Amino acid sequence: MTWWRELVRRTRARVAPFLAEALDLIRPAGRRAPEIVVVAGVVVSVLLGLVLVGAARNDAHIDAAQGAAVAEVLEGGSRPHVYVRFTTVEGAVLTPEKGVFYPRGLEPGQLVEVEYDRTDPELVRVAGRTWTEGLVPVLLGLLALWAVVGPSAWLLARARRRRREAALAAARWRNEVAASDEREDGEPEMAGAAPR
């Protein structure tokens, strides 16, 4: 077992400087933990909002030069990417690489009406569905996100405030002890008596 202890001791000696440097880097971020949590929540919220903006933008492109077709849902797609094959008005058979937008409820082999952008046939959506299909999931995601971020930031801020109050109390106590140690005669001071 001594070789095992020696291995652990050597590993600790090698890793300790890296851990100390990592802690030195993390410590300032730990002081700003509530703000970091809120900023992360805001960034994720903005990204979720941009998802809706992107979907609305794609819908606007499709609406500007809309073509309609009947598409077959293909095998091999997954939830975010359901692939379809359809024939455009011009006679071209297409399978968009990005898949079809708003694929909820589609099964392989199913025939479904789609709308596509004639200028960019890669933009294809299930007929009758728009960016509002994503509104409820995004709002639920935002609700869940802020249900976690809000209390977390509040708890972190509260813990930081308590640490600061404890540090101030300790500093006051040290100052009082140092002041009592600096008395000239070293005798305890009587209550209500003035120093000599």
Side-chain angles (χ1 to χ4, degrees):
M1 283 307 256
T2 57
W3 66 271
W4 178 252
R5 288 182 183 158
E6 182 63 24
L7 178 66
V8 168
R9 188 189 62 76
R10 285 183 186 171
T11 305
R12 225 183 257 162
R14 288 182 182 165
V15 171
F18 296 112
L19 288 177
E21 287 178 19
L23 284 175
D24 288 342
L25 287 173
I26 293 172
R27 207 168 275 127
R31 291 185 205 119
R32 294 285 177 205
E35 291 84 1
I36 291 170
V37 168
V38 169
V39 166
V42 168
V43 167
V44 172
S45 298
V46 167
L47 290 175
L48 286 172
L50 288 176
V51 166
L52 290 178
V53 169
R57 184 177 157 267
N58 287 337
D59 284 350
H61 284 290
I62 292 171
D63 290 338
Q66 184 174 325
V70 174
E72 177 187 2
V73 180
L74 303 175
E75 296 272 345
S78 61
R79 174 71 173 112
H81 299 287
V82 174
Y83 299 105
V84 296
R85 180 177 38 234
F86 64 96
T87 305
T88 65
V89 175
E90 292 81 22
V93 177
L94 296 175
T95 304
E97 290 180 21
K98 297 176 187 174
V100 65
F101 300 138
Y102 322 119
R104 181 182 38 86
L106 299 182
E107 297 293 328
Q110 181 180 357
L111 295 177
V112 63
E113 290 184 34
V114 294
E115 299 167 343
Y116 63 94
D117 182 359
R118 286 191 314 235
T119 60
D120 182 10
E122 287 292 316
L123 298 177
V124 181
R125 69 179 177 207
V126 175
R129 297 183 184 176
T130 63
W131 67 273
T132 57
E133 296 281 325
L135 201 55
V136 171
V138 166
L139 290 177
L140 288 176
L142 284 171
L143 184 67
L145 172 73
W146 286 101
V148 171
V149 168
S152 299
W154 181 77
L155 288 171
L156 289 168
R158 183 176 168 199
R160 178 175 63 189
R161 188 171 46 253
R162 286 185 176 175
R163 281 192 307 269
R164 284 182 182 167
E165 289 170 358
L168 285 173
R172 271 190 242 116
W173 181 79
R174 274 193 296 272
N175 289 341
E176 289 172 7
V177 169
S180 67
D181 288 345
E182 291 178 2
R183 282 197 216 113
E184 298 173 74
D185 56 9
E187 294 178 17
E189 188 176 305
M190 294 178 61
R196 298 182 205 174

